[in-house]
C-alpha cells in the first residue's frame, strides 16, 4: 500500500463573479504511481445530500453546445473529470466564462444561473452531482422566461 500524502499542489482556481456559484475543492492524491484518487463527501466537500448524478461523455462534436437553461430550485456541482470544456454562467446581471480542465475542483451551479457548456475536448467527461431528482418543471429553458422569473423573485 502506498503511503497517502495529500500533495500541496497550488491549483489555479477561477474567481467566481456570478451569484449562486462557487468553487468546490475536492481532496485528492495525485502521487500514486498507479493513478490518482479524488474524493468528495456529501455534506463535507459537497454541500448537499446527493440524490442524483449524471455524466456526459462522447463529446466528439466540436460544435456542440449543451445547457441553455437555468434551474428554479436545483443545486448542482459540475466537474470536468477528464479533458476540458468551457462553462458559461449568467446570473441575469453578470456573465462569466470558465475553462474547466482540472478534475480536482468543481463549479457550483446553484439555482437561477443560466448556463451553457461548449468547446468540449474530444476526451471530455463531465460529472454532475445534484441535490434532487430530475424534474422538467424545474427547468427554465427560455432566456426571456428566466429573466422574467428572476424579476418576479
Ligand atoms: C444541467 C446541465 C449541466 C433526464 O431524463 N434525466 C436527467 O437526470 C437529466 C439530466 C436529463 N434528462 C433528459 C432531459 C432531456 O430530454 O435528458 C435529455 C437531455 O437533457 P438536457 O438537454 O437538459 O442536457 P444538458 O446537457 O443540456 O443539461 C444537463 C442537465 O439536464 C441540466 O440539469 O444543469 O446538464
Amino acid at each position: 500500500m502506498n503511503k497517502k500524502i495529500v500533495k500541496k499542489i497550488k491549483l489555479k482556481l477561477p474567481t467566481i463573479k456570478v451569484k449562486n456559484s462557487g468553487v468546490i475543492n475536492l481532496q485528492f492524491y495525485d502521487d500514486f504511481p498507479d493513478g490518482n484518487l479524488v474524493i468528495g463527501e456529501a455534506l463535507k466537500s459537497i454541500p448537499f445530500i446527493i440524490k442524483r448524478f449524471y455524466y456526459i461523455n462522447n463529446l466528439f462534436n466540436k460544435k456542440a453546445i449543451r445547457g441553455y437553461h437555468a434551474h428554479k430550485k436545483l443545486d448542482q456541482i459540475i466537474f470536468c473529470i477528464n479533458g476540458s470544456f468551457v462553462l458559461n454562467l449568467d446570473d441575469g446581471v453578470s456573465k462569466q466564462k470558465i475553462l474547466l480542465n482540472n478534475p480536482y475542483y468543481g463549479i457550483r451551479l446553484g439555482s437561477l444561473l443560466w448556463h451553457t457548456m461548449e468547446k468540449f475536448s474530444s476526451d471530455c467527461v463531465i460529472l454532475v452531482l445534484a441535490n434532487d431528482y430530475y424534474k422538467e418543471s424545474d427547468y427554465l429553458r427560455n432566456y426571456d422566461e428566466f429573466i422574467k422569473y428572476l424579476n418576479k423573485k
Side-chain angles (χ1 to χ4, degrees):
M1 186 66 185
N2 298 299
K3 203 174 154 204
K4 292 179 182 175
I5 302 164
V6 181
K7 262 201 170 175
K8 295 271 181 284
I9 287 187
K10 265 254 179 248
L11 292 180
K12 200 171 175 294
L13 299 175
T15 306
I16 305 295
K17 296 172 194 143
V18 293
K19 282 188 226 159
N20 305 338
S21 186
V23 176
I24 304 292
N25 282 297
L26 297 178
Q27 184 188 359
F28 62 91
Y29 299 94
D30 78 338
D31 53 355
F32 287 174
D34 301 326
N36 300 344
L37 179 68
V38 189
I39 303 140
E41 292 179 297
L43 302 182
K44 291 187 176 177
S45 50
I46 306 304
F48 49 71
I49 298 277
I50 301 152
K51 284 199 181 170
R52 178 169 55 105
F53 68 87
Y54 52 91
Y55 42 83
I56 304 171
N57 64 348
N58 270 338
L59 289 157
F60 297 116
N61 177 2
K62 292 273 166 246
K63 291 183 185 156
I65 307 182
R66 303 191 64 106
Y68 285 115
H69 56 246
H71 285 281
K72 293 176 188 166
K73 289 203 175 129
L74 191 69
D75 201 355
Q76 305 187 102
I77 303 173
I78 187 162
F79 296 95
C80 183
I81 59 171
N82 202 59
S84 64
F85 73 98
V86 171
L87 176 66
N88 299 300
L89 299 177
D90 176 351
D91 64 14
V93 177
S94 304
K95 292 184 175 85
Q96 183 167 8
K97 220 175 234 312
I98 302 168
L99 172 70
L100 276 180
N101 59 1
N102 187 306
Y104 302 143
Y105 67 87
I107 302 295
R108 192 169 190 165
L109 289 178
S111 58
L112 301 180
L113 199 46
W114 187 264
H115 54 274
T116 59
M117 295 94 81
E118 61 173 344
K119 300 193 168 67
F120 306 103
S121 63
S122 51
D123 59 350
C124 178
V125 181
I126 297 173
L127 171 69
V128 182
L129 308 179
N131 76 339
D132 208 352
Y133 302 119
Y134 171 75
K135 284 182 202 129
E136 188 54 42
S137 60
D138 189 67
Y139 284 73
L140 295 160
R141 290 194 186 268
N142 172 287
Y143 191 78
D144 292 343
E145 192 197 334
F146 161 62
I147 297 295
K148 270 191 206 148
Y149 193 89
L150 269 183
N151 292 336
K152 268 200 297 183
K153 289 240 131 203

